[in-house]
Amino acid sequence: MEPAQPADRVPADRTPPDGQPPADVPAGPGGEPAATDPTPPPAVSAKSERSTKDMAISLLVLLVPIALLLAFYRGFLGGDSPTTVDPAPAIEQARSANVFPVSQPQGLGSGWSTVSARYQTVEGGANLRLGYVTPEGRGVQLLQSSVPADRLLPAELTSQGQPQGPTELAGRTWQLYTARGNQQALVLLEPTRTVIVIGDARDNELRELAGSLR
């Protein structure tokens, strides 16, 4: 017969010897308790991606007001129209100085706009400059000067200016010149003044301006 076991047995002591980890805690390679991170990993939030349709709608919302403002600027405020000036004061100043005979365009169409006008004395003489925007939106300058031509032409046409031959306009003989870049010029040489019509406009517009001088 086996001896009776006591009913109130005390569980075995699971306390480890000194320097050893508890039995329920995993040990590291050297016997030390394995490191544990009590902080749970952060939850990964799903990226919110806007659909192509949403992006197109947002872009349209931005572009519509800009288009409306641009249309208002052009249609009602004349945004594409050049700022015009009155050339009369500069022309009158040049005539009052009586340094050279002064001509001005006559009969140009409504598509021509005067955008600058200035008379000034310079070394060796005086200049009257009138700037225009042509009906095709090109820039042309009309220069009348008492500066000697041998000094004026290199300064205005640069070293690229080369004569291309004579042409008759309104009873006067002009000289066609090349100029800087894509510009060309018509030059009228007179005893007391030199007239230059220069710009990147087409040949017919240069001729129209030169032929209108009276």
Side-chain angles (χ1 to χ4, degrees):
M1 175 180 287
E2 295 182 1
Q5 297 294 330
D8 53 351
R9 285 184 63 183
V10 178
D13 187 2
R14 298 174 62 85
T15 303
D18 293 341
Q20 298 298 319
D24 294 337
V25 178
E32 74 280 1
T36 58
D37 186 0
T39 306
V44 179
S45 60
K47 282 188 175 181
S48 57
E49 297 184 354
R50 304 179 66 184
S51 67
T52 304
K53 180 180 179 181
D54 292 337
M55 295 179 66
I57 292 175
S58 300
L59 185 60
L60 186 62
V61 170
L62 291 174
L63 291 179
V64 167
I66 296 176
L68 291 176
L69 288 174
L70 185 60
F72 178 79
Y73 175 70
R74 290 181 173 178
F76 294 95
L77 301 182
D80 288 339
S81 302
T83 302
T84 60
V85 302
D86 182 8
I91 293 174
E92 183 59 32
Q93 186 180 2
R95 284 175 172 164
S96 298
N98 200 28
V99 178
F100 53 81
V102 176
S103 300
Q104 68 181 103
Q106 300 287 340
L108 288 177
S110 59
W112 288 80
S113 300
T114 308
V115 294
S116 64
R118 184 181 183 186
Y119 173 78
Q120 63 180 151
T121 57
V122 296
E123 183 179 356
N127 293 334
L128 173 62
R129 296 180 185 271
L130 304 178
Y132 296 90
V133 172
T134 74
E136 294 186 4
R138 305 281 186 168
V140 178
Q141 183 179 120
L142 167 62
L143 170 63
Q144 301 175 71
S145 177
S146 61
V147 176
D150 59 349
R151 292 176 50 190
L152 182 68
L153 295 185
E156 297 296 326
L157 307 181
T158 73
S159 59
Q160 302 176 28
Q162 299 296 326
Q164 302 297 303
T167 183
E168 293 293 324
L169 293 171
R172 295 170 174 171
T173 302
W174 295 71
Q175 295 290 330
L176 180 64
Y177 274 76
T178 58
R180 64 175 65 89
N182 62 340
Q183 296 184 348
Q184 56 181 343
L186 290 169
V187 177
L188 178 65
L189 300 174
E190 294 183 336
T192 57
R193 71 169 180 173
T194 299
V195 183
I196 301 176
V197 176
I198 182 172
D200 62 354
R202 296 178 185 272
D203 181 71
N204 63 310
E205 290 185 321
L206 291 179
R207 292 174 177 272
E208 181 181 357
L209 179 57
S212 70
L213 294 180
R214 301 289 185 272

